[in-house]
Amino acid sequence: MSGPLAGVRVLELGSMYAAPTCGRMLRDFGAEVIKVEDPVAGDYARQWTPMKNGQSMGFARINSGKRSVAIDLRTTEGRDLVRRLAAQVDVVIESFRPGRMAEWGIGYETLSADNPGLVLTSVSGFGQTGPYRARPGFGTVAETGSGFAYINGWPETPPTSPPFGFADSIAGISAAMGTAMSLYRRERTGQGDHVDVALYEPLMFIVGDMILNYTGTGFVQGRVGNGTGSASPRGVYEAADGRWLSIAASNQGIAKRLFAAMGRPEMIDDPRYATNEVRMRHNDELQEIVKDWVAERTRAEVLDVLGRFEVVCSQVNDASDIVLDPHYLDRTLVELTGSEALGKVLMPGPVLHVKSYDGPAYDGVPSIGEHTGEVLGELLKLDSDALNALVVAGTVKLA
């Protein structure tokens, strides 16, 4: 079945993580994504670890199913090709420093003059406006500048960034949402738009309660470990067999059911634990009670009891747990096929599900310039002589 974005053509000029994540989100729901890469090195993400047989797994996950066109944007001829391609697509995604596209003569004003319905989605460290617009930025800068790293970890540990592309992923998903909204607007008005995503902003939205709290009360939120700082009891606990699980009694009903599951239903009437507000004031002692209860049982026993009382909980999974779990195998994990380097591997599929659409296949990881000839032939009507001249000039690379 066709996805909700079937018929949408995307030109992806972005590299690394965030902008290509936007491209993958759109591709996941039916869009055709043409990825423009440097003819020599390609997207730098091709060098990311972990690797298997020279193939970056991170690059494969983000870029499977895209068409790779190798064009040197440092050349006038290469930028002219991109401008001509942009006139044939619905969306352009880019992640250059703000102003770079305009300097090259392929900024929004130019591209939208050629293609009034074009949606240009720009992903940058600090956005297209503001005092920091010219600063470079990667996910680590977004995770620290947004306030996330400051509140992540334990009071006795340093501020902590995650060991994966957290800010980049959220920015990429947000960019896809902005792109889809602009495409919807175009359906009603015929007008394109310029979507402006800063790496830090979606993450700052997520941690925004700490900003609201400070401006309202003057309280600076610090690190609280596995708690939220806003609901109790909640956390990650070690069972008697050394295995870990999480419990989230984040509303009154669940807290009441947790106390009953622990065999202590009277705790909900205790003045120290009767409401979330007082539970937070006595959070340290309450956490010790839950911790001790869990520590007396195996993880399976704890999860069984909590499940019967409908308490929100989960085992703490590593990758080996996830790929054996029947729920994730049924709903979430997909096979990445067509890569001799990787062999048979699983990865997460689309981030959401649409009833009318079964989802895409993930078949093959494009090599640098694998689709240059066919894309430039299809969209720009370049014949073999024209393509060969571009190859000789070093402007493009063919497969």
Side-chain angles (χ1 to χ4, degrees), residues 79-276:
R79 295 193 287 271
D80 179 65
L81 288 174
V82 165
R83 178 174 177 177
R84 293 165 63 190
L85 286 172
Q88 303 295 320
V89 304
D90 303 285
V91 176
V92 172
I93 305 169
E94 64 94 5
S95 58
F96 299 105
R97 293 238 200 131
R100 181 66 56 82
M101 293 272 286
E103 291 172 8
W104 283 345
I106 51 175
Y108 178 69
E109 299 303 325
T110 300
L111 298 184
S112 62
D114 297 339
N115 183 358
L118 180 72
V119 174
L120 174 62
T121 298
S122 297
V123 183
S124 61
F126 292 90
Q128 302 296 305
T129 62
Y132 297 165
R133 65 185 294 271
R135 288 187 181 182
F138 287 144
T140 301
V141 171
E143 288 147 9
T144 54
S146 66
F148 168 79
Y150 187 81
I151 62 172
N152 186 41
W154 277 259
E156 65 274 14
T157 62
T160 305
S161 283
F164 58 93
F166 186 32
D168 297 88
S169 296
I170 296 173
I173 295 170
S174 300
M177 179 180 69
T179 303
M181 289 191 297
S182 293
L183 288 171
Y184 176 71
R185 175 179 179 268
R186 189 184 71 172
E187 286 296 307
R188 294 181 292 114
T189 67
Q191 298 174 344
D193 216 334
H194 188 183
V195 179
D196 173 10
V197 179
L199 283 180
Y200 74 89
E201 265 179 332
L203 192 50
M204 187 176 284
F205 173 83
I206 292 174
V207 301
D209 283 358
M210 74 173 194
I211 300 170
L212 191 67
N213 192 7
Y214 173 72
T215 56
T217 69
F219 175 75
V220 176
Q221 181 178 334
R223 293 177 289 286
V224 294
N226 283 319
T228 62
S230 59
S232 177
R234 175 192 180 277
V236 176
Y237 308 92
E238 186 177 11
D241 53 2
R243 297 183 175 185
W244 295 83
L245 62 113
S246 64
I247 300 173
S250 299
N251 69 33
Q252 187 71 0
I254 298 172
K256 184 176 182 179
R257 295 197 296 272
L258 172 61
F259 297 154
M262 293 167 57
R264 300 187 61 179
E266 74 283 354
M267 286 179 63
I268 201 65
D269 297 318
D270 189 313
R272 296 170 296 173
Y273 313 127
T275 67
N276 185 65

Side-chain angles (χ1 to χ4, degrees), residues 312-365:
V312 178
C313 60
S314 173
Q315 64 186 40
V316 176
N317 288 325
D318 64 19
S320 66
D321 298 316
I322 291 170
V323 299
L324 295 177
D325 189 291
H327 180 84
Y328 303 137
L329 287 169
D330 177 72
R331 176 183 170 89
T332 304
L333 299 180
V334 297
E335 186 176 352
L336 174 61
T337 59
S339 171
E340 293 183 8
L342 295 182
K344 183 176 181 179
V345 289
L346 297 177
M347 66 180 189
V351 298
L352 55 88
H353 301 263
V354 179
K355 183 175 178 60
S356 63
Y357 174 54
D358 289 337
Y362 298 90
D363 186 19
V365 182

Side-chain angles (χ1 to χ4, degrees), residues 10-82:
V10 178
L11 187 66
E12 181 186 291
L13 306 180
S15 61
M16 298 288 282
Y17 208 124
T21 293
C22 174
R24 179 186 154 170
M25 295 299 105
L26 301 177
R27 189 263 168 183
D28 278 356
F29 292 96
E32 173 195 359
V33 179
I34 299 167
K35 181 178 183 68
V36 174
E37 300 188 71
D38 179 82
V40 178
D43 186 337
Y44 185 77
R46 290 182 180 273
Q47 302 179 41
W48 284 344
T49 58
M51 285 192 176
K52 182 179 180 182
N53 296 322
Q55 174 66 68
S56 165
M57 295 185 181
F59 180 86
R61 179 173 68 87
I62 298 297
N63 295 288
S64 171
K66 298 176 183 178
R67 304 169 81 188
S68 174
V69 176
I71 300 176
D72 189 349
L73 286 174
R74 292 166 295 192
T75 66
T76 302
E77 296 82 0
R79 295 193 287 271
D80 179 65
L81 288 174
V82 165

